[in-house]
Amino acid sequence: MSSSHARRLFSSRLRNARMSQGNTFITLSDEPAEVPEGPLHGVVLGIKDNFAVEGMRMTCASRILDSYTAPFDATAVSRLKSAGCMILGKNNMDEFACGSSGENSAYGPALNPLLPGRVAGGSSSGSAASVAEGLADAAMGSDTGGSVRCPSAYCSVIGLKPTYGRVSRYGLVDLSMSLEGPAPMAAWGAELTLARMMDAVSGPDARDQTTAFSTRTDAERRIDSFEPRATKVILVQNAVEQCSAEVAGAFERAISFLAERGVSIERRRMSSLRLALPAYYLLMYSEFASAMQRFDGLKYGRRGAGFTPAEAMADARSLLGPEVRRRILLGTYVTSREGWSTWYERALSAREQVSAELTSMLQECDYIAMPTMPAAPFALGERASDPVSMYAADILTVPANLSGIPAGTLPVGTGTGLQLLAGRNGDESIIAAMHFFNREGWKWRRE
Ligand code: GLN
């Protein structure tokens, strides 16, 4: 693609994004001055609004950062720019990435373009929905407990949560630092773009020590490496049993598609699955409460309004939404002297059990398969007043975050995803599996 063609494409996407009713962007970019050559030349990208993009507003969908401009690029962002991507804008999301529906955004929910009246998933709601709507070709979200896989499944796009520590978190605003990382998404059929995004963003970064031993992915070169007859998948039967009939049916159809092509499938129960959700929420609350200490009203918020420090803190907290405040309170309790051994330490040991069970299963197979979300997207507003029912939707995505292994989702129905987990650094093999489905003519929409 010539540079002028790329710029014309960008202008037309920008026009469409301005006219869209989908609420998938909080801030749109200006026209790019130049488009660098590179493996992702001309790819129009949405960036979740919790990544710093130099000179652009970064709100994390919170009123507290409504007028904040990022002074530098997140590492993932600068690497995508150098690879040739054009950033269309900053995507809508749940406030500080807290949520599974997009409804916790201070800017209103992003809408699901495939299923009117239904949530787009979260927290990377606008990222998935803008791809599904055809505004962006691909997007960079973040996944702490499913925030890329959930909206990818609900909007029928592909998404990958990479191995923890493989992609730098520098410039990504923390929700829970031991669980999360940047995570790419792309339209169904665009596995090559997903592969190239991973190749661009992965690898060591001196600004994030968790990447010190990381290696770059080689996903583009290995995109055709899925060999069905040499592949074994363990299917988590008790995960499927938690799902609606519609989700279980779509999932089984995808599993038969693999089996018919020679993949060996074994059904197993995962006994630690019931521990995953409480462990995730307790640890995430704790880390989030700590990360949010910086929002004390002095560094961010309505500075200079003549407040005393105590008033500034109260003012700052008043700018945060109810879910964010709930999590700060719970995290403070869990890590208090009172809550520590009852909740925090037990959550750490539950995390170990989940991780150990997944690791041992992965010694016997190439992939673990389960549905991505237990049910199709719920109606807007349906779970907004019941946080626990919202949390329940994350049951199948949080295990991968607890153990740091990669997990990807591909569409198996409208609003439904198949989730594949692989061993540490198996990111490329997940993309190759997605590509195999595409190459073999997988139709996720029923005719
Ligand atoms: N839905 C989960 C939560 O609310 C996951 C969030 C995420 O991955 N950022 O915490």
Side-chain angles (χ1 to χ4, degrees):
M1 194 188 309
S2 72
S3 198
S4 63
H5 181 202
R7 282 211 299 275
R8 273 201 305 280
L9 172 73
F10 185 88
S11 305
S12 82
R13 297 287 183 85
L14 196 57
R15 266 197 307 279
N16 295 345
R18 286 199 187 105
M19 282 174 341
S20 164
Q21 302 291 312
N23 201 23
T24 56
F25 287 94
I26 294 176
T27 307
L28 286 168
S29 302
D30 299 325
E31 307 269 344
E34 53 175 320
V35 188
E37 288 300 327
L40 290 162
H41 177 81
V43 170
V44 177
L45 210 64
I47 303 281
K48 188 175 182 178
D49 205 19
N50 56 353
F51 284 91
V53 178
E54 188 180 348
M56 280 190 84
R57 184 159 82 123
M58 172 170 67
T59 69
C60 296
S62 182
R63 285 203 298 145
I64 199 167
L65 292 174
D66 186 58
S67 57
Y68 179 73
T69 299
F72 62 88
D73 275 337
T75 300
V77 169
S78 67
R79 290 181 180 177
L80 289 167
K81 280 182 178 171
S82 328
C85 288
M86 300 182 289
I87 295 174
L88 185 59
K90 303 294 295 294
N91 284 123
N92 201 355
M93 57 185 279
D94 282 297
E95 184 175 9
F96 286 106
C98 296
S100 317
S101 70
E103 295 168 289
N104 293 334
S105 169
Y107 303 88
L111 304 181
N112 189 324
L114 304 182
L115 295 163
R118 306 259 143 195
V119 299
S123 65
S124 310
S125 49
S127 301
S130 66
V131 170
E133 206 183 323
L135 300 171
D137 300 314
M140 186 51 91
S142 64
D143 192 308
T144 314
S147 274
V148 153
R149 285 162 289 153
C150 160
S152 296
Y154 282 0
C155 295
S156 298
V157 303
I158 55 174
L160 175 72
K161 178 207 98 65
T163 302
Y164 181 80
R166 210 159 186 195
V167 183
S168 169
R169 285 180 296 110
Y170 180 72
L172 166 67
V173 177
D174 297 325
L175 162 57
S176 183
M177 58 181 286
S178 79
L179 294 161
E180 72 201 350
M185 329 157 84
W188 166 244
E191 307 85 37
L192 192 57
T193 301
L194 200 75
R196 288 176 174 160
M197 286 173 79
M198 274 306 293
D199 292 348
V201 298
S202 54
D205 173 18
R207 293 187 165 110
D208 175 354
Q209 289 308 310
T210 61
T211 65
F213 302 106
S214 132
T215 46
R216 273 188 69 164
T217 57
D218 192 12
E220 177 172 359
R221 204 179 50 85
R222 289 180 44 195
I223 197 135
D224 276 316
S225 61
F226 188 93
E227 296 285 351
R229 291 182 189 284
T231 298
K232 177 172 170 190
V233 172
I234 291 183
L235 184 160
V236 183
Q237 189 59 35
N238 51 328
V240 185
E241 287 162 11
Q242 312 242 353
C243 297
S244 70
E246 181 192 353
V247 166
F251 172 80
E252 294 291 351
R253 199 167 68 89
I255 294 296
S256 308
F257 187 86
L258 288 177
E260 282 155 18
R261 284 160 183 78
V263 174
S264 112
I265 312 277
E266 186 188 322
R267 290 175 190 259
R268 285 266 189 100
R269 304 191 77 79
M270 178 180 166
S271 61
S272 64
L273 184 62
R274 66 190 170 81
L275 300 176
L277 210 47
Y280 167 78
Y281 272 90
L282 290 165
L283 296 173
M284 176 275 294
Y285 290 151
S286 308
E287 295 183 14
F288 183 59
S290 153
M292 291 302 282
Q293 295 301 319
R294 73 186 67 145
F295 294 99
D296 55 8
L298 302 174
K299 301 177 205 68
Y300 310 91
R302 291 187 282 220
R303 259 189 316 200
F307 294 131
T308 65
E311 285 164 353
M313 171 69 111
D315 183 64
R317 294 284 144 106
S318 78
L319 295 173
L320 301 172
E323 180 58 25
V324 167
R325 279 186 283 170
R326 180 180 301 121
R327 292 182 185 211
I328 295 173
L329 282 173
L330 286 164
T332 307
Y333 172 70
V334 170
T335 50
S336 68
R337 217 167 56 186
E338 230 182 308
W340 188 267
S341 56
T342 325
W343 300 113
Y344 189 72
E345 288 185 344
R346 281 166 72 202
L348 285 178
S349 100
R351 178 180 193 165
E352 283 304 313
Q353 289 179 54
V354 172
S355 203
E357 188 168 8
L358 288 174
T359 308
S360 94
M361 280 167 123
L362 283 162
Q363 273 158 4
E364 294 174 53
C365 68
D366 303 288
Y367 303 89
I368 294 173
M370 48 185 152
T372 308
M373 301 303 291
F378 44 91
L380 282 158
E382 187 184 306
R383 298 195 186 176
S385 59
D386 182 2
V388 175
S389 73
M390 184 86 85
Y391 298 167
D394 301 334
I395 171 79
L396 305 180
T397 50
V398 296
N401 302 81
L402 290 169
S403 65
I405 58 175
T409 180
L410 69 137
V412 294
T414 304
T416 309
L418 160 69
Q419 186 182 196
L420 293 172
L421 292 74
R424 187 164 284 279
N425 293 327
D427 310 64
E428 292 98 324
S429 66
I430 295 176
I431 301 176
M434 294 175 181
H435 189 60
F436 176 76
F437 270 90
N438 187 14
R439 212 175 62 202
E440 291 288 310
W442 170 243
K443 301 257 180 294
W444 56 266
R445 280 189 190 90
R446 281 185 200 250
E447 261 87 51

